[in-house]
């Protein structure tokens, strides 16, 4: 915001409160009530206003308090923002960022825990990123703000408190559409994003301490565009692949990644593609044992690694 | 004059249009006539199988031209809807543009043939591209005005809709935003009494759209949309209010939809021929023409010149568009995302 006066933030409680997760803490004091604008409780208008402001020269970061509450704004996102460039033959664009916390495991119950990112990856015209590393989060946010197209910027809620990392003070960018190879390996590829990168790393570390095996771990970071190149070259190298995400399995990103691998790298596969995903219930329940039952654990992933390695 | 939701008709004296020259008043009428004759030609092309779809402006011309002439096409913005042909013509959309759009030619300026006719958009001419989804334009117009306010510009933003669309939640949300922040938006409702086939008393429990303005703490204005001069005078006040930074206006122009909703609609199923016939008495071309005659603005010489220019423009546009090439199929895959490496 210091570098570019076109950048503005709008959303519920982003001003004095600094966001319910304190993400925008102190920004209104610094940049004023219009550039850090407390919106009415109306998600559709947060996105609609951002679209109009962007068409008239601003670079809005529109905040939706929880991704679970975004549905009233889906029409503005899907019918309007995503199609602006196409429907105007390139005359207008929609350079907005839609920032929304997602995911569960924080006792948020059905309406503060959902992982519905696949809804957005299905829409051409939108970009979707879900960084988990603090360095990536800053770099991708900078890329998203300067991207000429609408970008969904999804942050896993568990990361706010559980993940720490050094972030340089100076400006830098992490490119949208490039996955990160977190661990290099030759025997198996595990693809994940968001919080589950942490769980996968825990399971892989536990496994490799006991087994002479080398597992490659990919953090997708960008869900659309999807870095098929990194995915395919890893699968061609290892021959075995597992995809892990918190979202429901049916119609989830794991299905799309599986299809890409089946289409492009089938001859290299040395086992079935394994998907570890959320159970097929509508959303994460509240009571601690129920929530735990919903969540896939590092132990579950570890067990799946055993099965796939033995295949 | 403009009233606060009561719907009373106005009387306009010679003096009251003093800031509009006679030449401007005649241009107003010419734009209305051009919109009407383009529209009539579009229906002919549709009924002869040459144009797949027409959405009509007939009955709305005076309301749109009255609003348009209160604006400055060099600094104001339109966020229009699909009936706004006369409004965009004033902002520089040409007869050729309209026909290229109808026939979905490659050089069609709104979308390169991607969207149906009536989805107006031109950054250069300052009107925003719309979708077919009704009501979404209200928060977007508030966003346009917010950006202008942040830069200290006195831009006025006019967004249009039919009265049926005012049932949408986005309409409330846009009005709410603009009111809270005193944004320079005119929410221009062209009330033609029907949402395709559903009459007003099945769209809202209030008698007028304008009276809803009270719920937002802003003025609600209701005018006779058949008389371009009356609309102009009321619009001028709403524009002045917006330029002063006093905030938005909910502006209702009472019009008639002289045609079915679109070329795919058959209005005989839901309204009588007598009712449609009665609209001719309030035909905005007839009412506004009479207004100009009464003001000694329009005589036979002017009128024949105007008619000749409009006829020539419509014929030229039709011939030009019919001969213009269709889009190359590869165009279907362009403009999904920005080119790689492009930043804002």
């Amino acid at each position: 915001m210091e570098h570019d006066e076109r950048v503005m933030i709008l959303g519920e409680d982003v001003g004095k409160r600094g966001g319910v997760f304190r993400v925008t803490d102190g920004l209104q004091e610094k940049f004023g009530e219009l550039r850090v604008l407390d919106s009415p409780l109306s998600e559709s208008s947060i996105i609609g206003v951002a679209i109009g402001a962007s068409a008239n020269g601003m670079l809005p970061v529109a905040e939706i308090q929880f991704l679970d509450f975004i549905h009233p704004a889906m029409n503005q996102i899907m019918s309007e923002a995503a199609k602006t460039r196409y429907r105007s033959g390139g005359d207008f664009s929609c350079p907005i960022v839609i920032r929304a916390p997602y995911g569960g495991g924080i006792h948020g119950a059905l309406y503060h825990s959902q992982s519905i990112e696949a809804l957005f990856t299905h829409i051409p015209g939108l970009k979707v990123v879900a960084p988990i590393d603090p360095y990536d989060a800053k770099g991708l946010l900078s890329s998203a703000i300067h991207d000429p197209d609408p970008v969904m910027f999804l942050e896993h809620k568990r990361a706010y408190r559980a993940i720490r990392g050094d972030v340089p003070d100076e400006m830098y960018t992490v490119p949208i559409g490039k996955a990160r190879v977190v661990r290099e390996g030759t025997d198996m590829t595990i693809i994940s994003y968001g919080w589950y990168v942490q769980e996968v790393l825990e399971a892989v570390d536990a496994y490799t301490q006991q087994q002479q095996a080398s597992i490659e771990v990919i953090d997708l970071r960008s869900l659309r565009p999807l870095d098929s190149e990194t995915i395919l070259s890893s699968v061609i190298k290892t021959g075995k692949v597992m995809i892990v995400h918190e979202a429901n399995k049916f119609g989830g990103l794991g299905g799309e990644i599986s299809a890409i691998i089946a289409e492009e790298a089938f001859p290299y596969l040395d086992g079935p593609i394994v998907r570890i995903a959320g159970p097929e219930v509508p959303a994460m329940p509240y009571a601690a044992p129920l929530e735990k039952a919903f969540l896939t654990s590092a132990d579950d992933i570890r067990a799946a690694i055993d099965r796939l390695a033995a295949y | 004059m403009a009233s606060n939701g009561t719907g009373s008709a106005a009387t306009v004296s010679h003096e009251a249009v003093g800031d509009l020259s006679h030449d401007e008043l005649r241009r107003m009428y010419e734009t209305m006539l051009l919109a009407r004759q383009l529209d009539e030609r579009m229906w002919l092309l549709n009924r002869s199988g040459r144009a797949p779809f027409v959405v009509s402006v007939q009955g709305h011309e005076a309301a749109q031209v009255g609003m348009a002439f209160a604006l400055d096409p060099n600094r104001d913005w339109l966020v229009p809807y699909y009936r706004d042909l006369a409004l965009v013509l004033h902002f520089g959309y040409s007869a050729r543009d309209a026909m290229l759009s109808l026939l979905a030619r490659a050089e069609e300026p709104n979308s390169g043939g991607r969207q149906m006719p009536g989805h107006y958009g031109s950054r250069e001419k300052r009107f925003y591209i719309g979708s077919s989804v009704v009501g979404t334009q209200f928060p977007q117009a508030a966003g346009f005005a917010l950006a202008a306010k942040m830069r200290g510009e006195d831009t006025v933003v006019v967004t249009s809709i039919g009265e049926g669309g005012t049932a949408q939640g986005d309409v409330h949300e846009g009005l709410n935003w603009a009111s809270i922040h005193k944004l320079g938006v005119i929410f221009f409702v062209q009330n033609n009494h029907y949402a395709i086939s559903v009459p007003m008393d099945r769209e809202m429990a209030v008698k007028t759209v304008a009276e809803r303005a009270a719920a937002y703490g802003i003025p609600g204005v209701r005018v006779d949309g058949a008389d371009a001069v009356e609309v102009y005078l009321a619009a001028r006040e709403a524009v002045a209010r917006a330029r002063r930074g006093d905030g938005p206006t909910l502006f209702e122009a009472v019009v008639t939809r002289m045609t079915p909703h679109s070329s795919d609609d058959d209005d005989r199923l839901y309204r009588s021929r007598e009712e449609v016939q009665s609209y001719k008495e309030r035909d905005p071309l007839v009412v506004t023409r009479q207004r100009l005659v009464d003001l000694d603005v329009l005589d036979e010489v002017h009128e024949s010149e105007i008619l000749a220019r409009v006829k020539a423009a419509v014929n030229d546009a039709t011939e030009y568009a019919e001969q213009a090439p269709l889009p190359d199929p590869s165009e279907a895959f362009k403009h999904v995302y920005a080119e790689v490496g492009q930043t804002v």
Side-chain angles (χ1 to χ4, degrees), chain B residues 182-249:
Chain B
K182 291 191 185 303
L183 301 176
V185 187
I186 298 172
F187 296 101
F188 181 29
V189 181
Q190 298 171 40
N191 181 352
N192 64 29
H193 314 285
Y194 284 95
I196 302 189
S197 65
V198 179
M200 253 193 88
D201 66 359
R202 288 292 172 271
E203 298 169 23
M204 62 191 81
V206 288
K207 297 286 184 203
T208 73
V209 174
E211 66 197 77
R212 289 172 159 168
Y216 305 98
I218 62 172
V221 173
R222 190 166 195 252
V223 292
D224 177 2
D227 185 335
V229 176
E230 185 175 340
V231 178
Y232 168 76
L233 292 169
R236 195 176 58 163
E237 284 187 20
V239 169
R241 176 180 151 77
R243 291 211 198 285
R244 284 195 306 269
D246 289 345
T249 299

Side-chain angles (χ1 to χ4, degrees), chain A residues 178 226-234:
Chain A
K178 294 283 178 210
L226 192 65
D227 186 356
S228 304
E229 202 178 314
T230 297
I231 293 170
L232 291 169
S233 59
S234 179

Side-chain angles (χ1 to χ4, degrees), chain A residues 6 8 10 34-35 37-40 42-46 48-59 75-76 79-80 82 84-93 95 123-127 145-149 224, chain B residues 77 109-112 114-115 121-124 127-131 133 135-137 139-151 153 155 170 173-174 176-177 180-181 331-338 342-344:
Chain A
R6 296 173 300 169
M8 63 179 292
L10 66 165
L34 283 180
R35 284 190 71 192
L37 195 155
D38 275 324
S39 77
S42 60
E43 285 79 8
S44 186
S45 71
I46 293 170
V49 167
I51 291 168
S54 76
N56 197 8
M58 302 302 289
L59 299 178
N75 190 37
Q76 288 283 357
S79 305
E80 310 290 313
T84 301
R85 183 180 298 282
Y86 192 74
R87 74 178 188 222
S88 67
D91 194 18
F92 288 94
S93 61
I123 305 169
L126 279 184
K127 294 179 178 175
I145 287 170
H146 293 101
D147 195 288
D149 291 309
R224 183 156 194 177
Chain B
W77 273 99
N110 305 305
S111 66
R114 288 174 179 79
Q115 294 217 75
S122 168
R123 177 174 285 286
E124 186 196 351
F127 43 93
Y128 185 56
I129 190 75
S131 75
V133 186
T136 50
Q137 68 269 38
Q140 291 167 7
F144 264 87
L146 176 67
K149 179 178 176 168
M150 292 174 78
R151 291 194 296 265
E153 300 161 358
T155 306
D170 264 6
E173 294 190 26
N176 193 38
W177 261 82
I180 292 166
H181 294 286
E331 284 292 320
F333 311 106
K334 290 184 183 163
H335 303 303
V336 180
Y337 294 101
Q342 196 182 327
T343 58
V344 287

